[in-house]
Amino acid sequence: MLLLLAIWWAVAAAHIWPEVFVPAPGAVWEQLWLTSSVHEGRRGYSGYLLHEHLLVSLGRIGLGSLYGVIGGIAAGLLIGLVPTVRTLLGPLVTFVRTLPPLAYFSLLIIWFGIDEPPKIWLLFIAAMPPVAVATAEAVRGVHEDYLNAARSLGARRWQLPYRIVLPSALPEVITGIRVAVGVAYTTVVAAETVNGVPGIGGMIRDAQRYNQTDVVILGLLVIGASGLLIDTFLQFIERLLVPWRGRA
Amino acid sequence: MPSPDEVLAVRTAAVRLTGVSLTYGARGGLLRPRGTRVAALRDIDLEIGAGAFLVIVGPSGCGKSTLLRLIAGFAPPTTGEIAVSGAPVTGPGPDRGVVFQQPRLFPWLSVRRNVEFGLRMAGLPAARRRERAMELLGLVGLADVAGQRPYELSGGMQQRAAIARALAPDPAILLMDEPFAALDALTRERLQEELRRIWQATGKTVLFVTHSVDEAVYLGTRVIVLSRRPGRIVLDQPSELPFAPDPHTHPGYPALRETIATAVRRSASDDPGQDDSGQDASGSDDSG
Ligand SMILES: Nc1ncnc2c1ncn2[C@@H]1O[C@H](COP(=O)(O)OP(=O)(O)OP(=O)(O)O)[C@@H](O)[C@H]1O
Ligand SMILES: [Mg+2]
């Protein structure tokens, strides 16, 4: 990390490329303060402070991922449990998964306008398939003796999905959720290319338009760092919820 | 406690098998995509009286687990019929408690909640569930690890927890697949005694698989020995020893032990008259 920073600093200091291509670390650092404060009557960047951009983006990621996770678990359960649904929905999920988000974003904008709805829809559609696929696989992989044991202990057939299938699929479902949040992260910048301010993606987009490379890099760093933080948090949740992972 | 006569008379059959065979891979598609057909059981006729303690012995891979799983209702037999208390078996149910060869505890539940599972399904209120679970965990010597997760327990402890879980809903029939195999001699002896006591006190019907001849003699009011795969009954030996105050010192013990041991030895060795590879393609090989 430090080494990388040193190389960056050296490259920038050597002025091999103009400032527009490779801004100095100091410039990015300075932008961190400028975008985080009110200065000369101007508030942050494009009228919003850095953390406001970030929070709005995180809110979109959170909402899109939440819907994606709920929809993904429901779809995954159905795909994994009901053979007819598997043949119908399975290929559809794969189809959607292979589409690049930007491709259907245009369609979403036509349908839902340029405000929040298309952005949330985009993140939802991007986040759902990983969860659905992971859940479906895990559901089909549930050891039949767990089901047998439960039935011998008096569980009814309809109680199995909630009592046995879901909890025993939980480790894989959580992995799916981590992937989904990652996908939502990579998609949010695309979602914010249209009317994305406030939002980190919108900020990067505006900065690009005015050749403010230091702001672009700052945006990238902020997204990466917050993503790292959130994944660490999800891993913590994972250890809390499925401590038996790899041991049972 | 049932008298020997009551148990041995087979007045009411708790479990009845007629012409039961099971060939794995016979139903191509569902179990496996039509690969090797393995005949695990052939033509089993068996009538088990209510309150009996039936011990099943036989060489590894002869179909003992398969037999229990069929009675448990986990899969239908390829041919034949199985009835429990007069009604044909259509699936698993809480009237038949199962202790699997592997513990198969639910890893997402604590040990206590595993034991409580059947009680929860039966709709018992939380306080009563907890009380009964703790009582059973005390019985198998696990009261101090009630709050831990199954993966934190040793194999033998897991198996004991699984026994407590199967006992909790008080099933009329207990299907136990080598439940004491993973235990040390002392714990094993204690649990054998405990199981004998429970069986005597409750009049449950127990079907019990073991590789230990001594365990069979100590526990069984009836011991059956299966041949090599596909399993057929080669010895069906009734016994009154489990009704004695101490079966180990019963005068009939050595002779009974010898009878069973001989049958086990003979079934394990490749007796040409009995041998059948069981992997015939037609499934109707009558060379034996
Ligand atoms: N799911 C399965 N699919 C195919 N063959 C199976 C399956 N389960 C068991 N078998 C075969 O059926 C035969 C009987 O198996 P089973 O588990 O009933 O033996 P067992 O008597 O319980 O042996 P052990 O004493 O080792 O537990 C074995 O030869 C095994 O190869
Ligand atoms: Mg077995």
Side-chain angles (χ1 to χ4, degrees), chain A residues 144, chain B residues 22 24-25 31-32 36 38-41 58-67 69 101 177-178 209 211 226 229:
Chain A
E144 63 170 343
Chain B
L22 186 99
Y24 284 106
L31 280 171
R32 4 191 81 192
T36 41
V38 179
L41 290 172
S60 179
C62 74
K64 304 180 296 296
S65 297
T66 304
L67 184 64
R69 297 177 72 87
Q101 197 164 354
D177 199 347
E178 303 187 32
V209 172
H211 282 290
L226 295 185
R229 193 183 72 203

Side-chain angles (χ1 to χ4, degrees), chain B residues 13-18 20 46 71 81-89 173:
Chain B
V15 181
R16 179 181 278 120
L17 291 87
T18 21
V20 168
L46 191 59
I71 297 168
E81 273 161 32
I82 302 174
V84 167
S85 312
V89 169
I173 299 171

Side-chain angles (χ1 to χ4, degrees), chain A residues 148-202:
Chain A
N148 287 334
R151 295 264 282 140
S152 295
L153 290 166
R156 308 254 165 195
R157 226 177 255 286
W158 59 265
Q159 290 176 303
L160 295 179
Y162 175 69
R163 294 272 175 204
I164 305 295
V165 174
L166 210 51
S168 77
L170 201 57
E172 285 89 344
V173 172
I174 290 184
T175 305
I177 292 175
R178 277 178 60 196
V179 174
V181 172
V183 170
Y185 246 89
T186 55
T187 312
V188 77
V189 176
E192 290 173 348
T193 48
V194 176
N195 194 18
V197 175
I200 289 286

Side-chain angles (χ1 to χ4, degrees), chain A residues 4-14 24-26:
Chain A
L4 228 61
L5 199 67
I7 293 173
W8 176 16
W9 183 83
V11 168

